[in-house]
Amino acid sequence: QVQLVESGGGLVQAGGSLRLSCTTSGSGFSIKAMGWYRQAPGKQRELVAALNSAGTTNYADSVKGRFTISRDNAKNTVYLQMNSLKPEDTAVYYCSLKTFLLDYWGQGTQVTVSS
């Protein structure tokens, strides 16, 4: 059974930083990609950043230059470093893990950026 546990969300002022963490557990699967998505109230869930097994990253235009996705294989953890946060970054952030068969999701962590 694959599990994803997120942490690191919270309340921050505009211009501040947060680092989200997502630790995975389980065995018997190969990771195709991991990523972070977010969903703001009344909006659809959107991709924020992704990192595939080859190490290639992909970012939403709205976060390029401010957010960085990285992975520590030894800790089975993927991170999202968020700098220069804006009120429009406020959302529930979800970690995702894509295998070649299934997609898995974390429970979400709230990020609130005050102006």
Side-chain angles (χ1 to χ4, degrees):
Q1 177 118 14
V2 178
Q3 289 188 321
L4 285 69
V5 179
E6 299 132 335
S7 61
L11 173 65
V12 65
Q13 288 188 333
S17 298
L18 284 174
R19 189 177 79 159
L20 305 183
S21 300
C22 174
T23 300
T24 64
S25 62
S27 61
F29 60 92
S30 295
I31 296 175
K32 181 179 178 181
M34 293 196 70
W36 289 94
Y37 288 72
R38 67 186 180 188
Q39 188 166 17
K43 295 187 177 181
Q44 290 188 330
R45 189 173 297 189
E46 62 174 356
L47 174 68
V48 175
L51 174 63
N52 68 16
S53 57
T56 303
T57 57
N58 182 36
Y59 295 94
D61 288 342
S62 60
V63 307
K64 283 181 181 176
R66 299 189 298 122
F67 291 12
T68 303
I69 188 171
S70 62
R71 183 178 170 186
D72 185 332
N73 291 329
K75 295 182 178 180
N76 294 323
T77 300
V78 65
Y79 303 98
L80 184 68
Q81 178 67 44
M82 305 186 293
N83 298 328
S84 302
L85 283 160
K86 304 175 181 180
E88 50 264 44
D89 294 319
T90 295
V92 178
Y93 284 70
Y94 297 91
C95 177
S96 77
L97 184 157
K98 296 182 182 294
T99 70
F100 290 92
L101 293 176
L102 296 171
D103 295 349
Y104 298 90
W105 294 90
Q107 79 284 358
T109 185
Q110 177 70 45
V111 171
T112 302
V113 184
S114 63
S115 57

